[in-house]
Amino acid sequence: MKKQVKVTGDHGIGQMIHVVHMCDDVEELRRFYEDVLGGFVYMGGDEPNYLPWEDRYAALLMVGDLCVEVMAPKMPANPQLPVGKFYTKYGRHLHSVGYKVDDLVGLADRLLERGVYIGKPGGGKIDKLDPDTPYFFPSPRDTAGLMVELCKLDMPDDPRDQETWSSLVRLWRSHPLTIKRFSHVTLGVRDLEAAIKIYVDTMQAVPIKIGTDGDLRAKSAILQLGDCLLQLAEPLDAESDLGRHVEKWGNMIYSLRFKVADLDSAEIWLNKNNVRTTRISEQLIVTDVEDTFGAPIFFSAETIEGDPFADD
């Protein structure tokens, strides 16, 4: 059975097509996701995909219902090109997310009417979206720092769109990590109220839970944006890991979180595979970023109150 996709907003923001994780060696990062996190590689398994006009290598894989695109510039990185520029500034770091949109032209019109700058593939400003344009990027200045690709096409050969998807899901649930599904992306922000306004008013995200995240030591809003949850988190403690991240990078994507069935099993497996973890609470662990290529990855046994995906 194919994955059943939930959408939000008037224009049908749906499946999160991928999270991009930037690195300096695609094959090394692919092996980490494949060998440690049980990833299923469906593009770039034998050798990375090379895109000349971006001068970058990439591979695509699934970890549970999350598609990860591992990406690296051809070395030495060319800071005049977008991929090389990002790597030169941030190094190993989560890069962006992408969403499938049913009505891309309508969404573009909505964003433009609200003063959002949107960029076309290859660069340049869009004042009116050509219906043939397959995707665009709102400026991170207008999305509280999140780099996001909005597109009208599915990822080619996406396993979630295949009738075999339900069989793959069982493989992750029987893996020692016991991943049930992807929980959410966390975006670190300096001003939570302003970020909520952007996503609820402009992107038509649906508020799920607003309050304090004691584990992150942050003011927090969890929203449904398409077929995924997005957490906006404003640090309350400048000395927390999130606080240091926001102080250094400003508004920017911070972490990934997976829901698991057995947190003890997940912790044992990660440690066995040389990924150090910190037990934040009885129901939450986080990886050491030195072992996970610059990205904090959380594993939780907790169900978020009001989570629309809790029974999926």
Side-chain angles (χ1 to χ4, degrees):
M1 180 188 296
K2 298 179 182 179
K3 187 176 189 295
Q4 304 303 301
V5 176
K6 294 181 172 71
V7 301
T8 56
D10 295 336
H11 308 290
I13 297 176
Q15 186 146 275
M16 191 168 77
I17 56 171
H18 57 50
V19 165
V20 177
H21 191 165
M22 185 69 70
C23 65
D24 48 11
D25 185 330
V26 162
E27 294 194 73
E28 183 183 13
L29 184 53
R30 174 189 59 75
R31 286 194 298 270
F32 163 75
Y33 274 106
E34 190 174 11
D35 297 343
V36 180
L37 300 192
F40 171 76
V41 181
Y42 71 95
M43 187 198 82
D46 295 324
E47 61 180 41
N49 172 271
Y50 178 67
L51 192 62
W53 67 275
E54 288 190 344
D55 200 28
R56 62 92 173 125
Y57 293 98
L60 288 169
L61 49 87
M62 300 299 307
V63 178
D65 56 347
L66 175 69
C67 176
V68 180
E69 181 171 0
V70 295
M71 183 183 293
K74 183 179 179 181
M75 294 298 182
N78 181 352
Q80 302 305 311
L81 296 175
V83 174
K85 181 179 180 180
F86 183 95
Y87 177 78
T88 300
K89 182 175 182 180
Y90 299 106
R92 293 176 164 186
H93 201 287
L94 294 173
H95 175 274
S96 61
V97 299
Y99 288 91
K100 166 76 179 299
V101 181
D102 292 337
D103 177 13
L104 194 64
V105 172
L107 180 59
D109 287 343
R110 178 184 180 86
L111 298 181
L112 290 167
E113 287 169 3
R114 286 159 175 76
V116 175
Y117 178 103
I118 59 176
K120 59 187 175 183
K125 183 180 180 182
I126 292 175
D127 294 311
K128 178 67 177 177
L129 187 69
D130 183 330
D132 292 331
T133 301
Y135 60 91
F136 64 80
F137 297 89
S139 169
R141 293 189 301 272
D142 297 323
T143 58
L146 184 64
M147 195 178 304
V148 56
E149 176 186 357
L150 299 168
C151 65
K152 66 179 183 180
L153 302 174
D154 294 304
M155 296 295 285
D157 303 318
D158 189 325
R160 293 169 294 189
D161 296 330
Q162 310 301 318
E163 293 295 340
T164 51
W165 171 246
S166 52
S167 180
L168 276 176
V169 168
R170 288 192 288 272
L171 293 179
W172 287 297
R173 294 186 177 182
S174 62
H175 185 277
L177 281 178
T178 69
I179 290 175
K180 297 181 71 175
R181 59 186 173 82
F182 182 60
S183 178
H184 56 270
V185 173
T186 297
L187 175 66
V189 299
R190 296 188 188 276
D191 185 336
L192 180 64
E193 185 176 345
I196 292 173
K197 183 175 178 61
I198 289 170
Y199 281 94
V200 173
D201 294 353
T202 302
M203 302 289 285
Q204 296 184 298
V206 179
I208 300 299
K209 183 180 180 182
I210 297 176
T212 300
D213 186 325
D215 296 322
L216 290 184
R217 288 178 272 168
K219 293 193 292 184
S220 166
I222 294 179
L223 315 173
Q224 181 189 353
L225 183 63
D227 198 52
C228 188
L229 296 181
L230 171 66
Q231 180 183 32
L232 310 174
E234 177 189 340
L236 290 170
D237 182 353
E239 296 305 313
S240 67
D241 188 66
L242 175 66
R244 291 189 292 270
H245 186 273
V246 171
E247 176 63 26
K248 183 175 183 179
W249 303 120
N251 290 2
M252 191 180 182
I253 188 172
Y254 170 64
S255 66
L256 306 176
R257 186 176 301 206
F258 291 92
K259 174 73 181 297
V260 300
D262 186 335
L263 195 60
D264 291 335
S265 176
E267 185 176 37
I268 291 168
W269 173 259
L270 291 167
N271 296 164
K272 180 181 177 181
N273 283 275
N274 301 313
V275 176
R276 290 164 291 180
T277 57
T278 298
R279 191 86 175 214
I280 297 175
S281 70
E282 288 186 8
Q283 300 197 74
L284 184 66
I285 60 174
V286 63
T287 63
D288 187 315
V289 296
E290 293 297 321
D291 300 331
T292 49
F293 297 78
I297 303 178
F298 291 80
F299 297 86
S300 173
E302 183 180 19
T303 298
I304 296 168
E305 182 181 351
D307 185 348
F309 305 101
D311 297 325
D312 289 2

